[in-house]
Amino acid sequence: MTDAPDTLERPRSQWRDVWLQFRSHKGAMAGLAVFVTLILFVTLGPLIWRIDPTYIDPDPVRMIRGRNQPPSWAHPLGTDQLGRDMLARMMAGGQVSIAVGLVAMSISVLLGTLVGVLAGYFRKLDNPLMRLTDLFLALPLLPLLLVMVMLFRDALARALGPETGTFLMIVTAIGVTSWMQAARIVRGEVLALKEREFVLAARSIGTPSRRIILRHILPNVMSPIMVAATLGIASAIITESALSFLGLGFPPDFPTWGRLLFDGVDYLQQYPERVIWPGLAISLTVLSVNYIGDGLRDALDPRIRGR
Amino acid sequence: MLTFVLRRLLLSIPTLLFISLVIFLLVDFAPGSPASEIPLTVPPEVRAKILESMGVNAPLHERYLLWLKQFFWVEPLHAFDATFGTSYSEGMQRIISYQSRAPVFDIIAQRIPQTLTVVGSAYLIGVAIALPIGIYSAYRQYSWFDQLGTFVAMVGFSVPTFFTGVLLILIFAVGLGWFPSIYDTTLKVTDWDSFVQQARQMTMPVMVLALYNAAQISRYMRSSMLDNLGQDYVRTARAKGMNERVVLLKHVLRNSLIPVVTVIALGIPTIFGGAIITEQVFKVNGLGAALIGAIHANDLPMVQTLTFIFAVLIVMFNLVADILYGILDPRIRYD
């Protein structure tokens, strides 16, 4: 009698199952470890390594002597052509690059989910919204991004200051041009969910559409959204560094990984490590995020889970 | 089939018109006006005349329609004239670049060969590598070859092309000195020596782009093969006593190629977009470099026209992919 409750297994929550499945994916766990390390490096790093990444020695003689230093204990990654510490610049650059990735991904996923849910749930909106998605898919994105940056960078930089202005513009530009995949996936899921019995039940007791979407539909499309979000971070980081690499991203005194790589190319022959560090950081971030996305996709798929 | 193609062609007209409007308006908002290219020493009334002759003072819709007319009517007519020696387009105004005062399409015609040789061969090589890798890793799923292929593919599309490009320059141009790091556009292939030189300078950009393309296409090939390998007809073929070669290369491969062919077709226009970065890394003077140069110089007609050409390519290859699907897969009937 007293033993009976013990023989019953505790009901397992869905997220615990997902985590267990995710843990069995070796690549995803390695990716998660690398990504967490990189995030710690760029967030906690500057608290320990307290050199200002934009600090240039005001004394001209010391400034010229301190340029292009090889790695040493004072500057583990050396200094750049203006004598700024590369390690500090890598940390500051990483903060911006990862922040751009996260914010741009949030914008694109929000937009994509909104369009997808509206198109999937309301039949009247389906056709126009999906035509819009197709139109966006037919746009040449990289050229358009370049054009957008060229047009609005100076205006926004004047209005909001060079850093916030450029950040907002790049993040919005990337977000607005990358929501289409998420929208298509979400629409497909919503179309299928809408016909299920629990939605019918909810509607038959008079639940308004808004609450059906928020309470019943959205939680059920979370898994594809999460996968799309993870992969979105990776592509946003690549796009930002591509823009910076083409000289159309952040201003020169404002380091991001792409910008550091772009600046390093001029010194490729003499100081190759200046290209390798930022390039490695970008590649590792994107690779780890892609592996996490891969693992999440497997973990969130109930057909694979538990096998 | 024919009605489907016609319907899709008709449908692509409003799509293209909308995209052209978006591109035109976006570029037209540019704060940099063509007036900034004229030296300040030019007196104001002359400046006004120059601007008028460039047609920038006309209302927006007039300029948009003129641009459309030039893009879809004058330029094709001119190309026709140039090929057949006729003179239908005489006296018609062509799209003129602000930068060089030369017709935009002449510049594009000069640049296209560089882009096509580099990007085109990279795409072909990428596909040629990707297909066997995809086939074999699906056939031996979870073998060491498959694991390696998965890892290489993951690296291939995670590492951005500007980093692989720079790394290759570092290893092969700076370190080993095998290949030149800068692409010489003026090189003409006339004899064996210049051909070798051309091949050497093409090696690195082609490697970068081929790796990137092969990474994606080999994944598609693998998953498409896996889908088909589990089908009943494969078991039937094996039960009939066919050898593995025939089963794999005749039955499975043909069916798995259907989605892959459309993916390959869909990828062609994005190659032009992605090649912008690679062209910049290796200083290939192609379409991408033309676009970047035009953006930096505020050359609005050039930017508009090039961006729109990229859009036309995307719409066109979407159509090609759909048609190919209909031709290759007898289960799909559009009418």
Side-chain angles (χ1 to χ4, degrees):
Chain A
M1 171 72 194
T2 48
D3 286 339
D6 290 345
T7 52
L8 274 178
E9 215 178 304
R10 255 184 79 239
R12 291 180 304 172
S13 80
Q14 187 201 354
W15 293 111
R16 203 180 140 71
D17 270 6
V18 169
W19 170 241
L20 283 177
Q21 176 69 32
F22 184 80
R23 252 189 8 193
S24 69
H25 194 297
K26 275 189 214 124
M29 283 310 282
L32 191 64
V34 171
F35 191 57
V36 169
T37 318
L38 277 163
I39 290 210
L40 289 181
F41 170 71
V42 301
T43 49
L44 298 184
L47 300 178
I48 301 164
W49 190 252
R50 309 183 73 110
I51 295 183
D52 182 6
T54 55
Y55 175 77
I56 302 174
D57 211 312
D59 178 24
V61 178
R62 262 190 304 174
M63 193 283 260
I64 289 177
R65 285 225 182 103
R67 289 185 317 164
N68 301 325
Q69 291 278 316
S72 63
W73 283 113
H75 303 289
L77 296 183
T79 57
D80 71 353
Q81 72 278 9
L82 293 175
R84 294 173 291 196
D85 181 63
M86 278 303 284
L87 182 61
R89 286 176 78 71
M90 282 289 295
M91 289 168 180
Q95 276 176 7
V96 181
S97 287
I98 292 181
V100 167
L102 291 175
V103 179
M105 173 275 287
S106 319
I107 294 177
S108 95
V109 164
L110 268 182
L111 264 177
T113 312
L114 185 73
V115 171
V117 166
L118 288 181
Y121 193 82
F122 300 104
R123 191 164 296 162
K124 261 186 218 154
L125 291 175
D126 190 13
N127 203 31
L129 281 180
M130 279 301 114
R131 287 291 80 74
L132 185 76
T133 315
D134 287 347
L135 279 178
F136 263 84
L137 278 171
L139 289 175
L141 293 180
L142 189 63
L144 265 194
L145 270 174
L146 293 173
V147 170
M148 276 155 87
V149 172
M150 166 186 86
L151 299 185
F152 302 113
R153 182 167 61 172
D154 294 339
L156 269 175
R158 265 198 302 277
L160 299 165
E163 277 130 46
T164 350
T166 321
F167 184 84
L168 278 182
M169 186 207 55
I170 288 190
V171 156
T172 332
I174 296 177
V176 167
T177 50
S178 60
W179 52 270
M180 292 82 75
Q181 299 298 341
R184 283 190 151 183
I185 299 167
V186 170
R187 169 182 172 266
E189 295 275 319
V190 173
L191 276 180
L193 279 173
K194 203 172 64 170
E195 307 301 328
R196 297 273 288 274
E197 283 84 358
F198 66 91
V199 177
L200 190 67
R203 188 172 303 140
S204 66
I205 56 170
T207 319
S209 292
R210 186 173 53 87
R211 205 170 307 146
I212 292 185
I213 290 176
L214 288 179
R215 287 292 290 272
H216 300 283
I217 304 248
L218 266 188
N220 280 300
V221 293
M222 269 325 273
S223 15
I225 292 178
M226 275 175 67
V227 175
T230 328
L231 300 179
I233 300 178
S235 67
I237 289 178
I238 288 201
T239 312
E240 183 273 321
S241 26
L243 287 179
S244 293
F245 183 78
L246 294 172
L248 285 161
F250 285 91
D253 50 345
F254 193 61
T256 73
W257 283 339
R259 183 81 218 182
L260 289 177
L261 192 95
F262 175 63
D263 292 341
V265 169
D266 293 340
Y267 301 91
L268 186 61
Q269 259 176 318
Q270 300 95 330
Y271 311 104
E273 69 276 4
R274 237 179 257 170
V275 173
I276 292 180
W277 289 120
L280 208 60
I282 298 171
S283 313
L284 271 182
T285 317
V286 174
L287 193 63
S288 63
V289 168
N290 275 339
Y291 264 111
I292 296 173
D294 229 30
L296 262 185
R297 192 192 334 241
D298 287 359
L300 290 169
D301 190 344
R303 280 167 303 182
I304 296 179
R305 206 189 304 150
R307 253 200 285 164
Chain B
M1 194 67 199
L2 191 68
T3 50
F4 168 76
V5 173
L6 279 177
R7 205 175 63 221
R8 280 294 309 263
L9 271 177
L10 284 178
L11 254 177
S12 64
I13 293 174
T15 314
L16 280 177
L17 279 179
F18 177 83
I19 293 173
S20 71
L21 188 64
V22 169
I23 291 171
F24 187 84
L25 288 179
L26 197 62
V27 175
D28 208 73
F29 274 128
S33 86
S36 58
E37 297 270 304
I38 306 169
L40 284 172
T41 46
V42 173
E45 60 270 17
V46 180
R47 170 191 293 267
K49 268 195 184 150
I50 295 177
L51 286 181
E52 203 182 350
S53 73
M54 290 165 89
V56 264
N57 293 331
L60 189 67
H61 59 93
E62 226 169 79
R63 273 180 296 141
Y64 172 63
L65 289 179
L66 178 67
W67 178 63
L68 272 190
K69 185 192 157 205
Q70 286 171 332
F71 192 97
F72 283 112
W73 180 242
V74 179
E75 292 296 343
L77 213 58
H78 189 87
F80 184 83
D81 283 357
T83 351
F84 298 104
T86 50
S87 54
Y88 292 113
S89 66
E90 217 162 89
M92 289 185 187
Q93 193 192 349
R94 301 180 66 190
I95 308 176
I96 303 291
S97 147
Y98 289 168
Q99 235 175 328
S100 57
R101 305 275 183 260
V104 167
F105 272 80
D106 285 1
I107 302 175
I108 293 175
Q110 289 164 5
R111 300 295 184 93
I112 273 188
Q114 338 288 351
T115 298
L116 275 189
T117 40
V118 175
V119 178
S121 47
Y123 203 59
L124 285 181
I125 292 176
V127 171
I129 300 173
L131 296 188
I133 292 181
I135 294 168
Y136 193 72
S137 36
Y139 186 59
R140 294 255 178 267
Q141 200 190 359
Y142 302 130
S143 65
W144 66 267
F145 183 87
D146 183 30
Q147 307 270 1
L148 186 76
T150 310
F151 180 72
V152 171
M154 205 66 164
V155 171
F157 57 73
S158 294
V159 179
T161 47
F162 49 85
F163 185 49
T164 28
V166 169
L167 262 189
L168 285 187
I169 290 184
L170 207 55
I171 298 171
F172 293 111
V174 178
L176 298 170
W178 289 357
F179 307 117
S181 73
I182 288 179
Y183 187 91
D184 177 11
T185 313
T186 54
L187 183 73
K188 282 203 171 53
V189 179
T190 46
D191 49 2
W192 177 249
D193 282 347
S194 58
F195 176 76
V196 171
Q197 210 181 336
Q198 171 74 12
R200 276 183 59 207
Q201 68 176 358
M202 268 175 64
T203 309
M204 285 202 295
V206 167
M207 259 160 81
V208 169
L209 283 173
L211 175 73
Y212 184 73
N213 298 327
Q216 295 188 323
I217 296 170
S218 72
R219 292 292 88 189
Y220 281 113
M221 189 70 229
R222 176 179 177 268
S223 65
S224 169
M225 283 290 281
L226 281 179
D227 282 348
N228 274 293
L229 275 172
Q231 299 272 327
D232 287 344
Y233 73 84
V234 181
R235 198 188 313 148
T236 312
R238 281 186 180 142
K240 282 196 302 184
M242 285 175 154
N243 60 6
E244 282 298 297
R245 246 180 88 88
V246 178
V247 173
L248 202 66
L249 294 184
K250 265 218 164 108
H251 295 232
V252 181
L253 181 62
R254 280 192 189 175
N255 284 299
S256 339
L257 269 179
I258 297 169
V260 178
V261 166
T262 57
V263 165
I264 292 172
L266 282 178
I268 294 175
T270 58
I271 284 309
F272 283 94
I276 293 175
I277 296 168
T278 317
E279 285 188 359
Q280 204 67 14
V281 173
F282 294 99
K283 312 280 188 288
V284 181
N285 208 11
L287 286 183
L291 180 71
I292 302 280
I295 285 179
H296 281 302
N298 260 327
D299 186 354
L300 305 188
M302 188 87 190
V303 175
Q304 280 163 341
T305 311
L306 269 178
T307 321
F308 191 48
I309 288 180
F310 289 137
V312 172
L313 281 176
I314 295 180
V315 172
M316 207 169 78
F317 279 100
N318 268 319
L319 183 63
V320 169
D322 276 358
I323 296 173
L324 270 181
Y325 220 103
I327 294 174
L328 293 177
D329 194 339
R331 286 168 299 188
I332 292 176
R333 281 283 159 262
Y334 287 118
D335 358 77

